[in-house]
Amino acid sequence: MAEKNPYDLAGDAATQLNETLGEKAGAHKAALVLGSGWANALSELGEQTAEVEAHTLPGFIAPTVAGHGSKILSIDTGDNKVMVFQGRTHLYEGHSGVDVTHGVRTAWAAGCEVIILTNASGGVNPDYEPGQPVLISDHINMTGTSPLAGPAPPKELGIRFVDLSEAYSKRLRELTKEIAPDLTEGVYAGFMGPHYETPAEVQMAKTMGADMVGMSTVLECIAARYLKLEVLGISLVTNMAAGVSDELLDHEDVLAVGKQSSKRVGTILNGVINRL
Ligand code: HPA
């Protein structure tokens, strides 16, 4: 039997997901992907009403990195409901661009219209400080791949040459700044990892226009825009990128800074989701 295309597979996952969460398709207006160390945002987000282990759904792969859970939660934010992907699959785990974007297609198939992508990053812009959240205004895809590479998507979804002129929704950025006026915007360069960048690579990213470097988000954003989901990206700068400060990079520090700072972003996200 021929393998299912990724969109049909996501449809299967979404049907089971909505059933398990006890919700109809479209009940969750938004999906939220929580990045490394963002777990503390959860307590501020709202009331959890249901959860499912992601890898029990068709097409989801169990993650391997410490600090990345694998649950999908249904959270009532007060005026809305959000589907929260706790943890994500990364390219550096050896998976493909299609694999790491299964959650995005599942959120779309489950009826979400907005996807909020969060991550941890290294600050390239010297004005940034560890612990600072930054709205992603645009990205540079340094992974060398695309979630749209491979067999052509089903005809009814349209051609895969998707426009990325406004990959990260201006409307959602403005809405977020109404709630948190001090937030700045920056460009996120997504590398494959899992190694951190060399100082020379960080310098290259800076020259290309990046304010932050990280190992996720860019492929999810592309997959989401193909499906016409509106994307909000928020990056928590957990450290200064290699060579920007004298400090060496340590994964435990990255998680710890995320833990300390993500509570505030949880409150901001609650406000944004309620106003969608
Ligand atoms: N580089 C890449 N990814 C990261 C970093 C970094 O400095 N910090 C947190 N995630």
Side-chain angles (χ1 to χ4, degrees):
M1 202 173 73
E3 251 185 53
K4 273 208 165 142
N5 78 57
Y7 302 90
D8 287 345
L9 185 62
D12 292 350
T15 304
Q16 202 172 311
L17 176 59
N18 279 332
E19 255 171 42
T20 317
L21 296 180
E23 299 289 356
K24 291 199 176 68
H28 298 91
K29 182 130 195 211
L32 166 65
V33 181
L34 281 187
S36 329
W38 273 71
N40 279 359
L42 268 181
S43 58
E44 310 307 305
L45 210 57
E47 198 183 326
Q48 182 181 324
T49 55
E51 68 172 51
V52 53
E53 295 283 342
H55 66 266
T56 62
L57 303 174
F60 281 91
I61 303 163
T64 57
V65 184
H68 296 255
S70 63
K71 286 188 175 142
I72 306 174
L73 317 173
S74 180
I75 291 191
D76 186 335
T77 55
D79 294 329
N80 251 324
K81 285 197 176 103
V82 62
M83 180 183 282
V84 179
F85 291 76
Q86 226 185 351
R88 48 160 61 93
T89 311
H90 293 87
L91 273 186
Y92 61 67
E93 293 168 275
H95 306 305
S96 70
V98 172
D99 290 337
V100 303
T101 49
H102 181 59
V104 173
R105 288 183 297 276
T106 300
W108 160 79
C112 297
E113 293 168 16
V114 166
I115 190 154
I116 304 172
L117 302 172
T118 69
N119 62 41
S121 64
V124 174
N125 185 326
D127 296 338
Y128 291 174
E129 283 176 8
Q132 180 179 347
V134 177
L135 286 171
I136 302 176
S137 59
D138 204 349
H139 77 216
I140 301 174
N141 177 7
M142 294 297 291
T143 67
T145 190
S146 166
L148 304 173
K155 269 205 184 67
E156 60 275 17
L157 290 178
I159 54 163
R160 58 177 136 181
F161 304 102
V162 57
D163 172 58
L164 294 177
S165 303
E166 193 188 308
Y168 298 83
S169 161
K170 198 162 172 47
R171 181 185 83 88
L172 294 181
R173 275 181 274 150
E174 294 307 322
L175 176 64
T176 310
K177 281 194 276 190
E178 279 172 26
I179 293 160
D182 60 315
L183 286 191
T184 51
E185 296 192 3
V187 174
Y188 175 90
F191 288 78
M192 176 170 168
H195 49 275
Y196 291 116
E197 303 71 27
T198 64
E201 287 164 348
V202 169
Q203 205 48 50
M204 172 189 72
K206 186 177 185 190
T207 306
M208 292 191 306
D211 296 295
M212 298 158 277
V213 285
M215 307 177 194
S216 66
T217 305
V218 294
L219 301 186
E220 292 158 37
C221 175
I222 296 166
R225 291 307 299 140
Y226 174 67
L227 295 167
K228 301 188 172 61
L229 290 170
E230 219 179 344
V231 178
L232 175 66
I234 308 184
S235 187
L236 198 54
V237 177
T238 51
N239 56 279
M240 296 317 286
V244 178
S245 82
D246 295 335
E247 301 237 349
L248 296 183
L249 275 64
D250 180 331
H251 183 60
E252 293 306 320
D253 292 346
V254 166
L255 293 181
V257 173
K259 270 199 180 136
Q260 286 158 22
S261 322
S262 55
K263 236 182 158 136
R264 172 170 178 243
V265 213
T267 310
I268 298 171
L269 287 177
N270 171 276
V272 171
I273 295 162
N274 275 334
R275 289 173 62 175
L276 288 175

